[in-house]
Amino acid sequence: MKLFLDTANVEQVAEIAQWGVLDGVTTNPSLVAKEGKDFKETVLAMCTHVPNVSAQVTATDFDGMKAQADEYSGWHKHVVVKVPMTVEGLKTLSYCKKKGIRTNTTLVFSVNQAILAAKAGATIISPFIGRIDDLGQDGMDLIAEIMQAWNNYNFDTEVLVASTRHPRHIADAAQLGAHICTIPYSVFTKLPMHILTDKGLDQFQKDWELVRKKK
Ligand code: G3P
């Protein structure tokens, strides 16, 4: 399972990359706006830390998306062009597939959208589970349905679980065999933690002090 950081903050990427577990980063226009830094510089800086950096197109028509896909993919070989799940987006996915440009389809909320994006040639699809949870439904049900369809038809498009909100989302996604999870920094930094690890280590340290004192 690949783990991505869902952020446009380069310092956060540099920090988590040092753990040796980070496979990529997903940015989106909202995350970029929050940091207030130059988009291209941000993406290029992240590309020095990880091999997959999703950079989202902002055009909504095919010609505009195509031009941005060509531009972003030329910045660095680690760039993955993020394309919204629209009809114009499907045309862009198909164009990128033919040109060998890696893509991540964003804003996927149904199995049918997932199938269309995969058939159009998406490298990755991103179902947003937290936003479905926000509606009072279970976003993880969508991942289960997509993984079932993937098992039935052997799509080679990777399923990236996006809009994760807490550590249980990542564990559940792994149980379902999702290929990638993108995780906000606040959730990523909770993943190594367990109260029994802290308690156990504290006791080991105390006991070791007793051993040292006997010498
Ligand atoms: O990468 C985009 C996705 O993860 C958004 O998450 O929390 O805005 O629903 P959120």
Side-chain angles (χ1 to χ4, degrees):
M1 185 189 211
K2 292 179 200 163
L3 300 179
F4 287 9
L5 196 59
D6 198 21
T7 188
N9 182 299
V10 180
E11 288 73 34
Q12 290 175 356
V13 175
E15 179 191 330
I16 305 293
Q18 287 181 346
W19 296 8
V21 301
L22 192 62
D23 301 294
V25 177
T26 49
T27 67
N28 65 40
S30 307
L31 292 170
V32 173
K34 192 174 134 201
E35 297 302 325
K37 302 265 173 69
D38 181 75
F39 179 47
K40 184 177 175 182
E41 280 173 23
T42 298
V43 169
L44 286 175
M46 288 175 168
C47 286
T48 66
H49 295 289
V50 287
N52 303 286
V53 178
S54 285
Q56 187 165 332
V57 299
T58 48
T60 52
D61 64 306
F62 175 48
D63 285 340
M65 287 187 194
K66 203 167 64 167
Q68 287 183 317
D70 283 333
E71 184 195 340
Y72 298 174
S73 61
W75 288 350
H76 197 287
K77 64 181 181 188
H78 293 172
V79 170
V80 178
V81 177
K82 211 179 194 189
V83 177
M85 179 47 237
T86 60
V87 169
E88 297 300 289
L90 289 174
K91 295 179 202 170
T92 309
L93 293 174
S94 170
Y95 167 81
C96 288
K97 174 75 178 176
K98 286 185 197 113
K99 284 203 71 181
I101 297 171
R102 294 187 299 150
T103 52
N104 174 2
T105 314
T106 191
L107 295 166
V108 169
F109 290 96
S110 75
V111 180
N112 290 339
Q113 289 180 324
I115 291 168
L116 289 175
K119 284 184 67 73
T123 316
I124 297 170
I125 56 156
S126 291
F128 277 32
I129 59 164
R131 294 191 191 183
I132 296 176
D133 289 354
D134 292 344
L135 296 178
Q137 299 164 20
D138 188 349
M140 203 54 73
D141 286 349
L142 174 60
I143 303 304
E145 286 180 32
I146 291 172
M147 295 318 296
Q148 177 68 56
W150 258 229
N151 287 336
N152 290 344
Y153 295 102
N154 293 320
F155 289 120
D156 55 14
T157 300
E158 291 186 295
V159 177
L160 181 157
V161 179
S163 185
T164 54
R165 301 277 167 79
H166 51 73
R168 193 66 232 166
H169 274 151
I170 290 82
D172 288 345
Q175 297 296 303
L176 292 169
H179 307 92
I180 311 167
C181 261
T182 193
I183 307 163
Y185 178 82
S186 60
V187 177
F188 216 119
T189 49
K190 285 183 185 148
L191 298 181
M193 294 175 188
H194 197 289
I195 184 68
L196 294 179
T197 304
D198 295 344
K199 222 175 140 186
L201 183 57
D202 190 47
Q203 191 62 50
F204 286 153
Q205 296 298 108
K206 282 180 183 146
D207 291 343
W208 190 244
E209 272 306 303
L210 295 177
V211 174
R212 284 183 57 220
K213 277 176 191 159
K214 278 184 192 160
K215 278 184 183 170

